[in-house]
Structure formats: structure tokens, C-alpha cells
Amino acid sequence: MPFITYLSGLLTAQMLSDDQLISGVEIRCEEKGRCPSTCHLCRRPGKEQLSPTPVLLEINRVVPLYTLIQDNGTKEAFKSALMSSYWCSGKGDVIDDWCRCDLSAFDASGLPNCSPLPQPVLRLSPTVEPSSTVVSLEWVDVQPAIGTKVSDYILQHKKVDEYTDTDLYTGEFLSFADDLLSGLGTSCVAAGRSHGEVPEVSIYSVIFKCLEPDGLYKFTLYAVDTRGRHSELSTVTLRTACPLVDDNKAEEIADKIYNLYNGYTSGKEQQTAYNTLMEVSASMLFRVQHHYNSHYEKFGDFVWRSEDELGPRKAHLILRRLERVSSHCSSLLRSAYIQSRVDTVPYLFCRSEEVRPAGMVWYSILKDTKITCEEKMVSMARNTYGESKGR
């Protein structure tokens, strides 16, 4: 209803008078229109025309709506209705810190669903820049103050490429409580729990330390409550950084291959060149080709010289490995200079202090789990690419 109609109703009920103003309500008037003559607060002495409509100019303080009601019975009913609407979707009653659902608020599986299970939002950790093998993810705990209780978070991760049938290959599922906090997971994955800007808000994190370079990965997260319900999925898809290359070593190998190809190449020298080129990674081989062509292309490019010196079969075995390098990384590997650096980044490593019963997992609340955390360091090697040497 319009605000002025609400005020008129209060006036009729003798709840708005000069000596008994409603707590938290202050009325000021401006020339914004007309209001009923029954509103004595809007009368202006000496003028016959109707006074303007009252306008709420500012909010002095914020109070729950039900505190504005004077009658205790009405206040409690209003409070109960507001709490039910906010926490229990209007389909149940708030009891302490949980929802007692109405008989009509059950899903097809027979589970009460009046208290919604929010969707967690998976994101990259802002404190850990992804590298070629390390990725850190985090999300804010979605358990509300009242209502559903989160028992666990399930994290799925899988590598996605043109050789993988994404429908058949489901990847690996990790339970945050049973696999990561319990210590049953591998040393390649670590779990953490910290607090956000507000102490009551928990932030969960998972760091993966053994991923493949230049790989496309899909991470999926959902929450599980104490009744076994699953939340909506949250997904992050990313490609890890390009494989590390030692640029100085790549240049040395390019010089070595040129010397082996130069002049008459004996069978021993051919085998040495073949073994050398097959032992390096695909990314290193790409960089060797770049240096070879940069310095010695006038004597024939790398592909032609390899086919001429080693023969088509051996040259094909070497050169087809270059197909493994993605277009993104191949463009970076053509940079004039590549330098390496190692970053040391802290991360949280947490373990549960208690053992969760195998058959009682749904009845445990993750937020109440006692854990011990320590800060550890992970070394992350990176390449930097540029057209000029950095200092």
C-alpha cells in the first residue's frame, strides 16, 4: 500500500499521535504532492490548501520491521512470519538455528526442502597465480546462520582434451571432509580453511600441485547437506601455463645439432643428433628449432636439415612431437628471450582432529569439524617471455 495510506491507518487506530510516535519513524514534509486532510502532521497553519505528501528523507537507524509493532502478540506473529520467509522459504518455522518444514515442503525423495541449499561459487585463489603444474581454488562456505547444514563439499577435476571422451571420462572426485581433511588424499592435493573479512565466514581452499603443463582442466564443486541433498554445480575451466624450458640449454643444443649436421655426418653423429633431439621435451624441441633457425637458417632450416641428415623416418619421429605443443605455447616459444624464475608461495595445509564415522557422514556438520592448520610453502617455477632480456 502507499506510505501515506499506511500512516492514515495508523492514525485511525490512534497509534500515531503527538505524544506517542512510532519508534524508528520520522516524518518530514516537502512540496511533492497532496495528502489527506486527516493527517494532522501535514497541516500548515494559515493556508487553506492541502499540505504536501510526507517524504522519507533519510534513515536514521535500521531496526526489524516487527519492532515497530506495539502489540506483543502481533509482533511475535510478524517476527515468526518474517523469519520463516527469509530462512525457510515461507514453508516452515525457525526453531533455534534450523528450519522445521511444513508437511507440504518435501521433495520427491521424501527429504525436507524448505531450507534452500545455496550454490557455492568456485574461483581461482587470488593469492596464488596458476603455474604450469600448480593451481589453487577456493570458495566461501555457503552454510547459512539458520537452516540447512553443510556436511561436505565434493570437488571433481578432470583433464579435457581432444583425445578424451568427456562423457566417459569423469575424472576424479574428492570429498573435502573424507579425502582431504582426513589425510587420505595424495600429497599432490592439500586442503585449507581460513576466515574472510568477517570471522563468522569460512573460506575453503584446495591446491593442486601435480597437474600437467599446458593442460585444459575442468573443476566442478557442489555442496552436500546433512540430509544428503546436493547443491547446484559451480565450474571453473582453465589451462595451465606452458611447460618450463631452459632457454640457455635450448640454445646450446641448437649449436650442438648444427655442429653435428655441418659437413660430413657419420652414422655415429647421426645417432647422437637423433638421441639428443628425442630426449628433450616437446617444448624444448620447439625452442631448439627456434634457435637453430635464428642462427643457421641460411644453411638450411631445421626441418630440411634434419630430413637430409637423419633421413625421412627419423626426422618424422622427431618433428611430429612438435604437434604436441599448443598454438598458445608455440607463439610464446617464438619469443626473442625466455627467462626462468622461481616463486615461493604460502598455502594452508589443514587436517581434521577427529575421525568421521563411515556411516554417519551426512550427520556431521563440516563447519563444526575441529581441524589443525599449518602454513606451508610451495615452489612454483615459471617462464617469462619477452622481446628483450630482463634484468
Side-chain angles (χ1 to χ4, degrees):
M1 64 176 67
F3 184 59
I4 189 60
T5 306
Y6 170 69
L7 290 179
S8 299
L10 292 180
L11 178 63
T12 303
Q14 298 298 314
M15 296 181 64
L16 187 60
S17 60
D18 293 334
D19 57 351
Q20 186 182 0
L21 293 177
I22 300 301
S23 173
V25 174
E26 180 179 349
I27 299 175
R28 302 179 188 178
C29 296
E30 281 187 355
E31 294 290 343
K32 294 257 185 184
R34 299 191 173 193
C35 65
S37 59
T38 53
C39 180
H40 68 283
L41 293 176
C42 296
R43 295 174 189 163
R44 301 175 66 181
K47 292 190 178 182
E48 296 181 358
Q49 68 177 27
L50 298 178
S51 299
T53 301
V55 176
L56 183 62
L57 298 181
E58 62 181 11
I59 299 175
N60 294 328
R61 60 192 179 94
V62 178
V63 295
L65 284 175
Y66 55 79
T67 61
L68 305 179
I69 301 175
Q70 302 300 307
D71 179 70
N72 288 335
T74 306
K75 180 187 295 186
E76 288 300 317
F78 192 23
K79 177 181 178 181
S80 177
L82 283 177
M83 296 284 282
S84 173
S85 175
Y86 188 83
W87 297 110
C88 309
S89 305
K91 301 177 181 178
D93 299 320
V94 173
I95 308 296
D96 295 330
D97 64 345
W98 58 281
C99 287
R100 182 179 62 191
C101 297
D102 299 337
L103 295 178
S104 59
F106 286 77
D107 59 19
S109 303
L111 296 174
N113 64 350
C114 67
S115 177
L117 178 57
Q119 176 191 27
V121 179
L122 188 63
R123 65 192 183 195
L124 284 174
S125 174
T127 59
V128 181
E129 179 187 355
S131 71
S132 57
T133 58
V134 179
V135 169
S136 181
L137 302 167
E138 68 179 29
W139 64 93
V140 177
D141 187 20
V142 297
Q143 178 171 302
I146 296 175
T148 186
K149 306 301 178 187
V150 174
S151 171
D152 200 0
Y153 290 97
I154 306 299
L155 185 64
Q156 176 198 20
H157 70 99
K158 62 180 179 180
K159 186 179 180 184
V160 182
D161 54 41
E162 63 271 23
Y163 308 107
T164 303
D165 188 330
T166 55
D167 294 329
L168 296 177
Y169 174 63
T170 59
E172 182 179 5
F173 287 85
L174 293 172
S175 162
F176 190 85
D178 293 336
D179 295 328
L180 301 179
L181 288 183
S182 65
L184 297 179
T186 67
S187 59
C188 289
V189 186
R193 184 174 75 184
S194 58
H195 295 288
E197 297 179 358
V198 180
E200 293 77 14
V201 177
S202 296
I203 297 178
Y204 295 102
S205 62
V206 175
I207 184 170
F208 294 86
K209 297 181 287 184
C210 305
L211 301 180
E212 295 183 19
D214 193 23
L216 184 63
Y217 284 89
K218 181 178 180 181
F219 301 89
T220 303
L221 177 75
Y222 64 87
V224 182
D225 72 2
T226 53
R227 294 186 174 96
R229 290 187 303 164
H230 292 184
S231 71
E232 294 293 326
L233 301 177
S234 178
T235 301
V236 169
T237 303
L238 61 87
R239 181 176 292 277
T240 51
C242 299
L244 297 174
V245 294
D246 185 336
D247 200 35
N248 292 329
K249 184 177 180 181
E251 193 166 12
E252 291 175 2
I253 293 175
D255 293 338
K256 177 181 178 181
I257 296 300
Y258 169 75
N259 291 328
L260 291 172
Y261 286 174
N262 190 25
Y264 172 75
T265 306
S266 66
K268 181 179 179 181
E269 290 171 328
Q270 288 180 352
Q271 190 63 37
T272 300
Y274 175 77
N275 291 342
T276 301
L277 295 175
M278 290 296 289
E279 288 171 358
V280 299
S281 66
S283 297
M284 276 289 286
L285 178 61
F286 197 101
R287 192 62 179 171
V288 168
Q289 180 188 35
H290 171 81
H291 281 301
Y292 187 98
N293 290 336
S294 298
H295 298 309
Y296 311 114
E297 191 171 18
K298 60 184 178 181
F299 304 108
D301 70 0
F302 180 76
V303 173
W304 181 82
R305 290 290 290 155
S306 295
E307 291 176 343
D308 184 58
E309 296 294 338
L310 304 180
R313 187 184 69 84
K314 286 186 176 181
H316 174 71
L317 292 175
I318 294 171
L319 297 174
R320 73 176 184 178
R321 298 173 61 225
L322 297 175
E323 299 174 1
R324 303 176 188 174
V325 182
S326 68
S327 58
H328 169 67
C329 290
S330 62
S331 63
L332 291 176
L333 289 171
R334 293 188 184 96
S335 302
Y337 298 99
I338 299 178
Q339 294 180 315
S340 301
R341 78 176 197 268
V342 178
D343 297 335
T344 303
V345 180
Y347 70 94
L348 276 181
F349 178 77
C350 298
R351 283 288 180 264
S352 173
E353 297 179 1
E354 53 194 34
V355 178
R356 291 163 62 102
M360 300 286 285
V361 59
W362 286 354
Y363 300 98
S364 302
I365 299 175
L366 181 61
K367 197 170 187 177
D368 295 341
T369 302
K370 295 181 179 179
I371 62 174
T372 301
C373 297
E374 60 178 313
E375 185 176 88
K376 291 194 172 186
M377 308 297 289
V378 58
S379 296
M380 303 171 67
R382 305 181 189 277
N383 280 146
T384 54
Y385 309 88
E387 297 306 315
S388 61
K389 286 187 177 181
R391 293 182 177 179

